[in-house]
Amino acid sequence: LLAASNGLHLMRGRWVEVDRERLEQMLDEFQAVETAAAKDGLSFGEAMRLLAGAHVPGDIVADSAPDWSSVVAGPWLKKTLAGLRDPAQLAQLDPGAALRATLRPYQQAGVRWLHLLSSLGLGACLADDMGLGKTMQVLALLLILRKTGDASGAGRAASRPSDDETRRASLLVAPASLLANWAAEIERFAPTLTAIIAHPSAMTGAELKALDRNRIAGVDLVITSYGSLLRVPALLAMPRRLAILDEAQAIKTPGAKQTRAAKQIDAQARIAL
């Protein structure tokens, strides 16, 4: 058809109008998607754009899906979308005896939802009312991630901490007044989690300055304040498994220094509480 001229052409017993320029543009887009999928697979975001009838190669969203095409979710994506819509239907996740508490049904669903989003590299905003156990859900998630991470990393030779080993440590940022509360909750409900508080209230200036990959090797959680993000460059220099922002309204002002600092955290996934 591309070799033909514009106009009407007989195809399979039907006369169809051929617009060579539009046809070539469409084929170029299909080819770009096919090449990307063959090389790296489609990202979750790209797959969602396709399902929404959007053009993947750019930021232009189609007004409506063309009537000559159809995009459907394959088995994995269909199952993933169903889990996002109804987390209660996701497979049960058990932090085991390491969590010294019993999760309520809605907390179990919350942990499954957080785990699914973080495994996809997507951000989450957990906005349960005060007293409904956001901290407990985060601790359960960290225990589950540690358990699965230990299983996948078994047998690794001892050496200088790699990026993967360093990234095992998640970073929790909270107002300075809540750092002790987090430490107490970990001690009470998840004492096997190894956590350090990177803050002048718990470390000397020399210790904060010396914070590096070797210092956090084997640590599950680094706890710090929004102010310390600005004063301790090492906190932003290392990759993290999760970035967890407690009382996340602290970064509601886009131009604020602590907002810009929080956005620089290198993490596989981010959770706002």
Side-chain angles (χ1 to χ4, degrees), residues 208 228-238:
L208 284 171
S228 293
L229 280 182
L230 300 171
R231 296 188 294 268
V232 185
L235 292 172
L236 297 178
M238 288 175 274

Side-chain angles (χ1 to χ4, degrees), residues 144-156 164 168 241:
I144 290 167
L145 291 177
R146 187 184 65 177
K147 184 161 62 173
T148 56
D150 287 347
S152 63
R156 182 179 291 141
D164 288 341
R168 163 181 164 173
R241 176 65 185 86

Side-chain angles (χ1 to χ4, degrees), residues 21-121:
E21 185 176 345
R22 290 184 61 189
L23 180 61
E24 190 166 10
Q25 181 183 6
M26 179 195 72
L27 291 176
D28 286 344
E29 290 191 8
F30 282 178
Q31 182 64 48
V33 171
E34 186 178 28
T35 301
K39 182 181 178 183
D40 302 313
L42 286 179
S43 71
F44 187 86
E46 289 167 335
M48 291 295 291
R49 287 175 65 80
L50 276 174
L51 284 175
H55 295 297
V56 172
D59 292 326
I60 302 173
V61 179
D63 292 334
S64 61
D67 56 11
W68 44 261
S69 72
S70 176
V71 180
V72 296
W76 177 87
L77 184 57
K78 184 177 181 180
K79 181 179 178 181
T80 302
L81 292 172
L84 288 172
R85 295 186 184 103
D86 188 3
Q89 303 304 314
L90 293 170
Q92 184 79 29
L93 290 171
D94 183 14
L99 182 68
R100 297 183 178 178
T102 300
L103 295 175
R104 301 184 183 101
Y106 72 86
Q107 292 174 326
Q108 293 174 356
V111 172
R112 294 177 218 165
W113 179 72
L114 291 174
H115 185 268
L116 175 60
L117 288 174
S118 61
S119 68
L120 293 170

Side-chain angles (χ1 to χ4, degrees), residues 84 87 109-128 134 137-138 141 242-246 248 251 268-273:
L84 288 172
V111 172
R112 294 177 218 165
W113 179 72
L114 291 174
H115 185 268
L116 175 60
L117 288 174
S118 61
S119 68
L120 293 170
L122 299 178
C125 179
L126 184 61
D128 288 341
K134 295 186 291 291
Q137 293 174 64
V138 169
L141 176 65
L242 296 178
I244 304 160
L245 303 185
D246 193 14
I251 63 163
Q268 291 176 338
R270 301 158 186 261
I271 298 174
L273 304 178

Side-chain angles (χ1 to χ4, degrees), residues 211-229:
L211 205 59
D212 60 11
R213 292 171 184 265
N214 290 309
R215 177 68 179 86
I216 70 165
V219 171
D220 296 306
L221 185 64
V222 177
I223 305 173
T224 193
S225 68
Y226 288 98
S228 293
L229 280 182

